[in-house]
Amino acid sequence: MKKQVLKSCIYKTKIKDHESVKKTILDFIDQDGSSTDSSYNDSISKFDYGNAFDYERPWVKYFAPFFNGALNELLSEMGIQRMSQMHGMWYQQYEENSAHGWHIHGGHMTGVYYLEFPKGCPHTNFIHPLTGRVDNIKAEEGDIVFFPSYIVHQAPLNKGPRKTIISYNFELYDKIIDDSLVTVL
């Protein structure tokens, strides 16, 4: 089998009013009774993935306008008309010695909002699909990252203080806004 490299983008931007967003969402998470699912073969300290499709959770309703602002920036950058469907949104907390092993997501796009990301916490690792080379995003707290769902990634073992992220999956609409954005090689 022959391989041809097509470069894929990882997009990163900031969530507006991050400090306020962080405080409010962490308050909601602290009140949430979700915990790890014992059948889930990983060591995430706390998460609500089992409710990923419940968009009525208070923290999701609060976060939606901020997420949509960043998403609209991404769609404009990509020349995509709109998102067609959300495929879940959930939080994950990593206390010391917790991790999330190599995995992929469903949908077209996925990503991470670094809600609580103190110094010393590990960055998300990615595996290049053709070379197998491991790389990471140079993210900081308040960054929201979007990337294609098929990219293998992990949250390495956290040796630092608690880290909290929000993750999500979504499909893109199948038409671009303007054909002039397309360059034929």
Side-chain angles (χ1 to χ4, degrees), residues 37 54 82 85 91 96 133 136 144 161-162 172 181:
D37 176 351
D54 176 3
R82 66 179 184 263
Q85 185 174 6
Y91 70 79
E96 187 175 1
R133 184 174 148 247
N136 64 53
I144 186 165
R162 184 180 74 185
L172 297 171
L181 294 172

Side-chain angles (χ1 to χ4, degrees), residues 129-181:
L130 291 177
T131 67
R133 184 174 148 247
V134 175
D135 202 353
N136 64 53
I137 281 278
K138 305 293 189 256
E140 56 187 41
E141 187 173 288
D143 284 346
I144 186 165
V145 178
F146 300 95
F147 56 92
S149 299
Y150 65 84
I151 296 177
V152 179
H153 60 284
Q154 74 166 347
L157 188 66
N158 185 19
K159 294 291 190 181
R162 184 180 74 185
K163 171 174 96 171
T164 305
I165 61 105
I166 293 175
S167 194
Y168 41 83
N169 300 327
F170 58 93
E171 301 281 335
L172 297 171
Y173 187 62
D174 64 352
K175 294 183 181 173
I176 64 169
I177 296 170
D178 182 352
D179 288 339
S180 69
L181 294 172

Side-chain angles (χ1 to χ4, degrees), residues 6-23:
L6 296 176
K7 293 183 180 180
S8 188
C9 291
I10 296 175
Y11 298 88
K12 180 176 75 169
T13 191
K14 295 274 189 200
I15 288 292
K16 289 181 177 34
D17 301 318
H18 166 71
E19 286 302 321
S20 174
V21 170
K22 173 185 171 181
K23 181 185 179 332

Side-chain angles (χ1 to χ4, degrees), residues 3-181:
K3 298 177 184 179
Q4 177 181 348
V5 176
L6 296 176
K7 293 183 180 180
S8 188
C9 291
I10 296 175
Y11 298 88
K12 180 176 75 169
T13 191
K14 295 274 189 200
I15 288 292
K16 289 181 177 34
D17 301 318
H18 166 71
E19 286 302 321
S20 174
V21 170
K22 173 185 171 181
K23 181 185 179 332
T24 301
I25 293 178
L26 286 175
D27 286 346
F28 282 126
I29 290 173
D30 287 344
Q31 297 169 19
D32 183 27
S34 297
S35 63
T36 57
D37 176 351
S38 61
S39 66
Y40 193 77
N41 189 20
D42 239 325
S43 63
I44 302 167
S45 301
K46 182 178 179 183
F47 62 94
D48 69 344
Y49 180 75
N51 298 320
F53 293 96
D54 176 3
Y55 302 111
E56 296 300 312
R57 287 169 292 160
W59 75 263
V60 175
K61 288 174 76 171
Y62 170 79
F63 182 56
F66 300 97
F67 176 78
N68 289 337
L71 177 64
N72 287 334
E73 185 180 338
L74 165 76
L75 297 176
S76 176
E77 183 70 26
M78 293 177 72
I80 301 290
Q81 192 168 8
R82 66 179 184 263
M83 176 184 72
S84 69
Q85 185 174 6
M86 197 72 188
H87 286 289
M89 181 177 282
W90 62 98
Y91 70 79
Q92 294 179 185
Q93 288 189 316
Y94 299 90
E95 300 286 349
E96 187 175 1
N97 295 319
S98 61
H100 189 179
W102 294 110
H103 63 284
I104 61 171
H105 289 237
H108 294 143
M109 299 292 285
T110 190
V112 178
Y113 168 40
Y114 293 92
L115 180 67
E116 184 178 40
F117 195 57
K119 289 190 188 295
C121 290
H123 292 88
T124 304
N125 292 148
F126 297 90
I127 296 178
H128 189 282
L130 291 177
T131 67
R133 184 174 148 247
V134 175
D135 202 353
N136 64 53
I137 281 278
K138 305 293 189 256
E140 56 187 41
E141 187 173 288
D143 284 346
I144 186 165
V145 178
F146 300 95
F147 56 92
S149 299
Y150 65 84
I151 296 177
V152 179
H153 60 284
Q154 74 166 347
L157 188 66
N158 185 19
K159 294 291 190 181
R162 184 180 74 185
K163 171 174 96 171
T164 305
I165 61 105
I166 293 175
S167 194
Y168 41 83
N169 300 327
F170 58 93
E171 301 281 335
L172 297 171
Y173 187 62
D174 64 352
K175 294 183 181 173
I176 64 169
I177 296 170
D178 182 352
D179 288 339
S180 69
L181 294 172

